[in-house]
Amino acid sequence: MTSANRTPPHESSTRSDDARWLAAAVDLATESVAEGGGPFGAVIVRNGVAVAVGQNRVTRDNDPTAHAEVIAIRSACQVIGDFSLFGHTLYTSCEPCPLCLSAALWARVDRVVYAADREDAARGGFDDREFYELFATPRTEWPMVIDPVRPDNAFAPFAAWNAEADRVRY
């Protein structure tokens, strides 16, 4: 059975566990600012143990995908040797933006717990509302052009994937 098909264990956490890990995420976020990163921190936890942490490194590393949650997810997957984080909880200093929420969904995180919300982020200069609103808007109205161009071999990578008998399903 692949990791994507497992039933996730339901980790029982208490409010004190949540408070502990959220405090760690907030501390990481505050430290990130002092180190030239953005004000976001994240901790991935399984069975009461921190597996990985992440801090926002977007401006420090000139990487628009280097959000704290994404860094923590990448690190946790390396630590456990799997792309699936079933059984894990993502604690983050702020409500995940659409990028981070998508990463958590792709990683199959069981639970996301956050401290500050999107309104707090907006007051701090990080307003994700335009992204939430954009996804509800027809693509023809987006400021970025998205053009589907379908060459004859467009499905070839998927055909190769489907033909690969020992592929890792996800």
Side-chain angles (χ1 to χ4, degrees), residues 89-140:
T89 299
L90 168 61
Y91 290 93
T92 181
S93 62
C94 188
E95 181 178 0
C97 72
L99 169 71
C100 296
L101 188 55
S102 295
L105 288 166
W106 274 109
R108 292 153 178 87
V109 170
D110 283 10
R111 183 171 176 239
V112 176
V113 182
Y114 61 88
D117 64 18
R118 65 180 77 174
E119 300 303 321
D120 295 318
R123 283 194 308 277
F126 296 86
D127 194 352
D128 298 334
R129 280 180 287 212
E130 71 180 73
F131 294 116
Y132 288 105
E133 292 167 2
L134 180 67
F135 291 128
T137 304
R139 284 189 180 173
T140 56

Side-chain angles (χ1 to χ4, degrees), residues 31-134:
E31 291 169 12
S32 179
V33 173
E35 296 167 3
F40 303 96
V43 182
I44 304 274
V45 175
R46 182 179 175 114
N47 298 327
V49 176
V51 175
V53 300
Q55 293 173 300
N56 181 282
R57 297 294 184 225
V58 171
T59 56
R60 191 195 78 176
D61 295 351
N62 294 318
D63 179 352
T65 68
H67 292 206
E69 297 90 337
V70 173
I71 300 290
I73 288 168
R74 289 174 182 162
S75 180
C77 289
Q78 292 299 306
V79 167
I80 69 167
D82 198 343
F83 59 85
S84 174
L85 295 176
F86 271 147
H88 294 73
T89 299
L90 168 61
Y91 290 93
T92 181
S93 62
C94 188
E95 181 178 0
C97 72
L99 169 71
C100 296
L101 188 55
S102 295
L105 288 166
W106 274 109
R108 292 153 178 87
V109 170
D110 283 10
R111 183 171 176 239
V112 176
V113 182
Y114 61 88
D117 64 18
R118 65 180 77 174
E119 300 303 321
D120 295 318
R123 283 194 308 277
F126 296 86
D127 194 352
D128 298 334
R129 280 180 287 212
E130 71 180 73
F131 294 116
Y132 288 105
E133 292 167 2
L134 180 67

